[in-house]
Amino acid sequence: LNLYRNQFIDIFNNCLLVWSEKSRLAANVLIEQNSNSKKNENTIADLVSLAHGFSEALSRNAGEDFLVSSLSHSWNLKKSLASKIDSPEINKIFNDSMRLGALSAKILGAGGGGFLLCCVPHEKQEHFMKNINKTVVKLNFEPTGSTIIFSD
């Protein structure tokens, strides 16, 4: 991880999370996805290949470029796994994000709600955040992972 620290800092500085304003139980999305796993073997293999490609790109100091070029493709593959992964609302956020300067985007987790990860160049982020009309979370790279910073 330390080997790729600067790449991760650059990636995080150029990515935003956009809240879809929709929460769901991941299990409800994953049930259909799991039942479709046999017919989706090729798509799943393509998604795994993208993950390996990102790892290889990091080793060539090209992680950010690979992420930008593959994230929307990954989203299109993911949507084909089950009908509950995307929705008209999520597709609207995706399209609005692209219109406002995102280079690529995809829903995180199981899909069906939650956050979209949007690759937005740092210089376009202020315009993006003012105009997306959704809650936006800026990312920071934390090399030690998630940490509890407050506890009652």
Side-chain angles (χ1 to χ4, degrees), residues 141-152:
F141 176 66
E142 176 52 54
T144 59
S146 297
T147 319
I148 296 173
I149 58 172
F150 178 79
S151 179
D152 284 340

Side-chain angles (χ1 to χ4, degrees), residues 7-22:
Q7 285 186 80
F8 281 118
I9 290 170
D10 289 343
I11 289 168
F12 277 70
N13 285 338
N14 289 295
C15 287
L16 300 170
L17 294 178
V18 178
W19 174 240
S20 69
E21 300 176 356
K22 186 175 181 183

Side-chain angles (χ1 to χ4, degrees), residues 11-65:
I11 289 168
F12 277 70
N13 285 338
N14 289 295
C15 287
L16 300 170
L17 294 178
V18 178
W19 174 240
S20 69
E21 300 176 356
K22 186 175 181 183
S23 36
R24 79 295 174 253
L25 291 174
N28 292 341
V29 178
L30 294 174
I31 289 170
E32 179 188 357
Q33 185 176 324
N34 287 340
S35 69
N36 293 342
S37 61
K38 194 70 173 163
K39 77 175 186 177
N40 288 329
E41 284 179 347
N42 290 338
T43 302
I44 293 167
D46 289 345
L47 288 166
V48 169
S49 178
L50 285 173
H52 289 296
F54 179 63
S55 177
E56 292 169 12
L58 284 171
S59 70
R60 295 188 318 271
N61 200 31
E64 186 175 5
D65 291 338

